[in-house]
Amino acid sequence: MFKRIKVGLALGGGAARAFSHIGVLDGLTRHGIPIDIITGTSMGAIIGAMYATLPDVDAIKAHFAAYIDSEEFEESGFNFFKELDSHDEGFLADMGRFARRGVFNTLLVTKTALVNNKTAASSYDYLLEDLSVEETRIPFAAVALDLKSGEAVVLKRGRLREVIAASCAMPGVLNPVELDGLVLVDGGWVETVPIRAARQLGADFVIAVNVGDSGREFEVPRNALDVIARADSLARDALNREQLKEADMILSPRNGITHWADFSTTEAAIKRGAEEVERKLAALQSAIKKARWQGWFG
């Protein structure tokens, strides 16, 4: 019996590295690969929501370029994280460096986040339209972690900006978001690339886009904070590898971005995303064709 398969695109987190998602979207649309469903985690949720709202890659590029030059971005705090003088192990290592320097010691034990809600909201307001998730042109959902239950939560309804704020609430940097009795933080701690969420929305074939920077070289820890940061990084890398097995196709742009908060590399990251589509195009087209045949005769 004939069945049209639905192709889902699952966009992982990665802060500045996630700009490779824009290149992936560009490559897929140029080659006529359908995108019927989009899910995102953290920065992947922002980019996914923007495309689901207005499927125009050029418009997204222009909007982000304007944002990076804006007062909202200047106040976001990303540049401060980028300027810390050490090798990158992710934001948890950055937090450890604050403590080693004696920076923010009082803040870290008296506040739940380094960035206040007003500052964070200004960025979401700049990037996203004020509409509900149900109003996006392409079905969309974001993933967050509920601190109460420890479960992944698929956010597929509600105000778009609130949903994105929950998926992007990086622990320690941004405050948790309370929605419907849940206390939500960055989905990257439970579903780094939201493949399962795409299945929940009805995707038959899921393209996972992994922009993380795994495989960092080991350095001898200098103190307990280094040990914690390294263990956290390895645990999340292991979770990511295991979850990626559930995708039908994995795209892993080689963005080469050293620091997760380095937004000066956006053009390079976008280019790497488009290049990854070209590199995997034949395999992707073949896999989708096979899935369609299975759908027709399944």
Side-chain angles (χ1 to χ4, degrees), residues 142-198:
V143 172
L145 167 64
D146 178 24
L147 290 181
K148 288 185 177 180
S149 67
E151 298 290 332
V153 178
V154 179
L155 302 167
K156 53 187 177 182
R157 59 180 59 88
R159 303 311 300 172
L160 185 63
R161 290 172 178 171
E162 291 182 345
V163 163
I164 297 305
S167 186
C168 292
M170 189 182 296
V173 176
L174 297 168
N175 279 306
V177 174
E178 296 187 23
L179 286 177
D180 300 324
L182 306 176
V183 180
L184 303 172
V185 296
D186 194 315
W189 265 255
V190 67
E191 196 165 350
T192 52
V193 182
I195 299 162
R196 295 175 187 175

Side-chain angles (χ1 to χ4, degrees), residues 82-278:
K82 184 188 71 173
E83 291 166 3
L84 291 177
D85 56 348
S86 78
H87 299 291
D88 178 39
E89 277 284 3
F91 88 93
L92 185 59
D94 287 343
M95 298 283 281
R97 286 187 284 279
F98 291 159
R100 283 197 296 273
R101 294 177 178 185
V103 179
F104 294 141
N105 281 357
T106 301
L107 180 60
L108 290 172
V109 297
T110 60
K111 303 286 186 179
T112 56
L114 297 176
V115 179
N116 64 50
N117 290 342
K118 182 178 179 181
T119 298
S122 68
S123 287
Y124 302 132
D125 291 351
Y126 190 102
L127 291 169
L128 300 161
E129 292 187 30
D130 185 17
L131 72 168
S132 69
V133 176
E134 299 93 322
E135 293 178 288
T136 59
R137 299 188 190 184
I138 298 172
F140 170 78
V143 172
L145 167 64
D146 178 24
L147 290 181
K148 288 185 177 180
S149 67
E151 298 290 332
V153 178
V154 179
L155 302 167
K156 53 187 177 182
R157 59 180 59 88
R159 303 311 300 172
L160 185 63
R161 290 172 178 171
E162 291 182 345
V163 163
I164 297 305
S167 186
C168 292
M170 189 182 296
V173 176
L174 297 168
N175 279 306
V177 174
E178 296 187 23
L179 286 177
D180 300 324
L182 306 176
V183 180
L184 303 172
V185 296
D186 194 315
W189 265 255
V190 67
E191 196 165 350
T192 52
V193 182
I195 299 162
R196 295 175 187 175
R199 302 279 189 207
Q200 286 187 34
L201 263 64
D204 304 295
F205 185 98
V206 179
I207 304 168
V209 188
N210 176 41
V211 298
D213 183 29
S214 61
R216 291 176 287 273
E217 292 185 6
F218 173 74
E219 294 184 359
V220 177
R222 293 164 291 183
N223 50 44
L225 290 169
D226 282 351
V227 175
I228 293 169
R230 179 64 175 176
D232 173 76
S233 173
L234 292 174
R236 293 206 290 143
D237 284 348
L239 174 65
N240 190 41
R241 289 194 299 272
E242 192 63 28
Q243 292 181 343
L244 284 172
K245 294 177 183 178
E246 300 181 19
D248 297 289
M249 176 62 60
I250 302 170
L251 301 180
S252 300
R254 302 164 180 172
N255 53 53
I257 295 174
T258 303
H259 197 286
W260 61 273
D262 186 2
F263 283 81
S264 68
T265 58
T266 55
E267 290 186 9
I270 292 171
K271 182 180 178 182
R272 297 295 183 269
E275 289 173 348
E276 176 68 359
V277 173
E278 296 298 327

